[in-house]
Amino acid sequence: MSFVAVYGQLLSSLLTPYIPLYILRYMSTLDKTIINIKVSKTLKREAQDLADEIGVPLTTVIAASLKEFVRSRSLTVSAFPRLRPEIEQELSQAIADYKNGKNVSKILAKPSEVADHLNSL
């Protein structure tokens, strides 16, 4: 019997009460490991839903993020929150409209002017 087989049996006999055998077998046959991280339930649920929506396991998403972190040797952290793409698109359109004088209301100084303007819509 090879050293790996003996070591595997010894390891599984010691850890079986604590770790299910199928996990030990999976871990010993593949070049994989398990990472336990703590995140909010809401974040995990949202990430799981998005991963399901695009058709990949959440494990793949996390592994891809780790690979990119190792490849680029950097982590991007921003103090400014990013808007959802559809909100960014609407905001860009509103800015373009403003620059072109389109969909812009006149300046209203008195409450009565505001009321009259709203009633005219």
Side-chain angles (χ1 to χ4, degrees):
M1 197 182 284
S2 73
F3 171 75
V4 173
V6 171
Y7 180 74
Q9 285 180 351
L10 176 63
L11 185 63
S12 70
S13 66
L14 293 173
L15 296 177
T16 299
Y18 306 104
I19 302 174
L21 189 57
Y22 70 90
I23 292 177
L24 290 173
R25 187 170 297 126
Y26 177 78
M27 298 283 294
S28 66
T29 59
L30 299 175
D31 186 31
K32 303 281 183 186
T33 189
I34 295 175
I35 297 175
N36 292 315
I37 60 171
K38 291 186 182 215
V39 296
S40 72
K41 289 180 182 181
T42 303
L43 176 61
K44 192 252 183 186
R45 191 177 322 107
E46 289 174 354
Q48 184 71 59
D49 290 346
L50 181 56
D52 290 344
E53 186 178 312
I54 62 174
V56 297
L58 187 55
T59 301
T60 302
V61 174
I62 294 168
S65 298
L66 289 172
K67 285 178 184 178
E68 177 60 23
F69 173 63
V70 170
R71 185 195 65 74
S72 67
R73 302 186 61 79
S74 68
L75 175 66
T76 303
V77 179
S78 175
F80 302 104
R82 293 280 320 239
L83 296 173
R84 293 192 321 255
E86 58 271 16
I87 302 296
E88 284 185 6
Q89 184 178 4
E90 287 180 25
L91 186 57
S92 296
Q93 183 62 47
I95 291 169
D97 285 352
Y98 176 76
K99 287 180 180 178
N100 294 327
K102 184 177 169 186
N103 296 325
V104 179
S105 298
K106 63 181 181 176
I107 297 174
L108 305 171
K110 298 178 184 174
S112 60
E113 292 176 347
V114 174
D116 291 341
H117 175 71
L118 292 175
N119 289 332
S120 71
L121 299 176

